[in-house]
Amino acid sequence: MPELPEVETVRRGLAPVMEGARFTKVIAHRGDLRWPLAPDFVARLEGKRVEGLGRRAKYLLADLSSGDVLVMHLGMSGSFRVARSGGKTTPGRYYHERSKNAAHDHVVFHMSSGARIAFNDPRRFGMMKHQKVVAGLGNIYVCEALHRARLSPKRRASTIATKAGAPHERAQRLVDAIKAVLADAIAAGGSSLRDHRRTDGELGDFQHDFRVYDREGKRCSTPGCKGTIRRMVQTGRSTFFCPVCQR
Ligand SMILES: [Zn+2]
């Protein structure tokens, strides 16, 4: 099984041909890697740009221009083969020889950088899936941060600054709350991504810590508050808040 340093060298090998490039064509040969590829797997990649290629533990995470994150894992026997005008390379340094048998090329990316990237995995323990992390969590972060800062989502943004334009104490409260929410989400997301069994849970452990999001009708968790969480729709998105302690 590829170890952490190998996965990191794979990332460094793929980054130059993937980052800033669009998927011009994606071919998925098999729907049965570790988890089946989603029916919309190809559609969610083609035409999208890779904003950055990161790594968390042994997972490669491609941030897409759509807000999706493409999660890739090499499993036991997976590797990438990169073909471009300069020749062919297999990023990563492996103890065991990697398969070059095209019959095991399960997914092929054609990138606007001119590179053709084949994901080869004879034992099919590798995985690729989308995680709607950025777009999905954005709204959650906002709801959770506003609740921790005890600020109403109905409040006009201008009211967190003084008339002279200086930040009000409420602004600092909100900044602190956003930092706390992000830190919790990163900590929870990290632990869930390290655990194979939980990669299906889009939000990892963080969802167990929601104070308002998706808790309509439930009791507010602020100590001493007897409020009930309400939901309203703002600019097409559901916003959850406590009308009692968020002012
Ligand atoms: Zn409350």
Side-chain angles (χ1 to χ4, degrees):
M1 176 178 270
E3 293 302 325
L4 208 65
E6 294 168 330
V7 178
E8 176 58 20
T9 55
V10 170
R11 190 195 69 76
R12 291 180 189 185
L14 291 177
V17 289
M18 290 189 81
E19 286 183 337
R22 285 181 189 280
F23 293 92
T24 51
K25 189 176 184 189
V26 174
I27 301 163
H29 289 299
R30 306 189 66 119
D32 58 349
L33 290 170
R34 185 185 189 91
W35 284 280
L37 295 173
D40 60 352
F41 180 80
V42 170
R44 284 169 72 174
L45 291 178
E46 285 183 341
K48 311 301 186 300
R49 192 178 59 247
V50 177
E51 308 281 6
L53 184 66
R55 179 185 59 77
R56 190 172 286 168
K58 290 192 195 175
Y59 292 84
L60 296 171
L61 307 173
D63 289 317
L64 308 183
S65 50
S66 57
D68 262 350
V69 178
L70 173 66
V71 182
M72 299 173 280
H73 194 284
L74 297 170
M76 307 281 286
S77 56
S79 64
F80 289 94
R81 246 179 19 261
V82 179
R84 50 182 158 164
S85 52
K88 286 184 183 174
T89 53
T90 302
R93 284 174 25 183
Y94 299 97
Y95 184 70
H96 296 288
E97 182 68 8
R98 296 282 107 178
S99 163
K100 293 184 175 66
N101 184 344
H104 300 305
D105 286 351
H106 303 303
V107 180
V108 179
F109 300 141
H110 292 268
M111 307 300 297
S112 61
S113 59
R116 175 186 181 278
I117 303 168
F119 178 65
N120 185 293
D121 188 6
R123 294 179 64 181
R124 289 184 279 115
F125 277 108
M127 65 86 105
M128 287 198 192
K129 77 190 296 277
H130 292 276
Q131 273 204 324
K132 198 83 183 174
V133 174
V134 180
L137 276 187
N139 189 38
I140 296 170
Y141 286 147
V142 172
C143 296
E144 293 294 310
L146 283 171
H147 181 256
R148 289 190 201 206
R150 302 184 312 282
L151 294 172
S152 169
K154 295 176 189 167
R155 178 180 283 281
R156 292 169 59 99
S158 59
T159 64
I160 65 169
T162 61
K163 282 207 176 74
H168 194 274
E169 170 270 335
R170 288 188 282 256
Q172 188 56 49
R173 231 159 68 200
L174 185 57
V175 168
D176 292 344
I178 290 169
K179 283 182 184 167
V181 167
L182 290 175
D184 283 358
I186 290 166
S191 63
S192 66
L193 280 179
R194 252 181 265 119
D195 183 344
H196 286 202
R197 290 163 300 175
R198 289 192 196 157
T199 49
D200 279 340
E202 290 188 346
L203 304 169
D205 291 338
F206 184 55
Q207 58 192 314
H208 302 306
D209 298 330
F210 291 166
R211 298 185 187 189
V212 284
Y213 190 83
D214 208 19
R215 295 192 69 242
E216 185 181 14
K218 302 225 169 80
R219 272 289 283 279
C220 176
S221 61
T222 298
C225 179
K226 293 193 164 41
T228 301
I229 305 305
R230 277 204 205 141
R231 182 178 77 96
M232 67 174 177
V233 177
Q234 273 185 325
T235 58
R237 289 177 158 187
S238 281
T239 296
F240 298 87
F241 68 106
C242 171
V244 177
C245 65
Q246 287 180 254
R247 295 287 168 171

